[in-house]
Amino acid sequence: MTIQDTAARCAPYVLSMVRIVAALLFFEHGTSRLFGWPSPLPTPAPLSMYWFAGAIELVGGALLALGLFTRPVALIMSGEMAFAYFISHAPAGFFPILNRGDAAILYCFIFLYIAFAGGGPWSVDALMGRKINPR
C-alpha cells in the first residue's frame, strides 16, 4: 500500500476532523460575541449586524460541528466570512496580514470547501444517509 492509497483512504476522515475543529473554533466566536465567554466581548444590540454574526457563529458552529445540514450551513458561514472580510478588514488595507483579515479569509475558504465536499463520514448527515459525495 502506497502513501497515496493511505491518504486517499483517510481523506474523508480528515475532512470530518477539519470540519469539526473549524466549527468548534467558529462556535467559540459566537459564544464570545453573544455571551462574553470565553473572551469578554461587548454584547451587541439585538438584531444588529454583530448580533446576526454571533448567531451565525453560534448556531452554524454547532450545526457544522455535528455535521447536520452541513452544506447549506457551511455556505452561509462562508458568506458571512466573505462579508466580514470586506466590511471589517479590507478597508484597513490591501494585505491581510496588515488588516488582520487572514483568519476571515481562511474561514471563508474552509467553509466554502466544506459546502462542496460535505461533512465526511463522521457527521449526522452521513448517519442519516444523506449523500456525502454526490456524483
Side-chain angles (χ1 to χ4, degrees), residues 54-81:
I56 291 170
E57 292 160 1
L58 182 75
V59 176
L63 289 172
L64 199 65
L66 294 171
L68 182 59
F69 306 116
T70 301
R71 292 175 192 269
V73 167
L75 188 62
I76 290 167
M77 292 164 60
S78 175
E80 179 202 353
M81 287 294 91

Side-chain angles (χ1 to χ4, degrees), residues 45-104:
L47 304 179
S48 67
M49 181 175 65
Y50 289 112
W51 183 89
F52 279 110
I56 291 170
E57 292 160 1
L58 182 75
V59 176
L63 289 172
L64 199 65
L66 294 171
L68 182 59
F69 306 116
T70 301
R71 292 175 192 269
V73 167
L75 188 62
I76 290 167
M77 292 164 60
S78 175
E80 179 202 353
M81 287 294 91
F83 183 81
Y85 180 79
F86 287 109
I87 294 296
S88 297
H89 298 285
F94 178 76
F95 296 103
I97 197 165
L98 298 176
N99 68 26
R100 306 189 77 198
D102 41 358

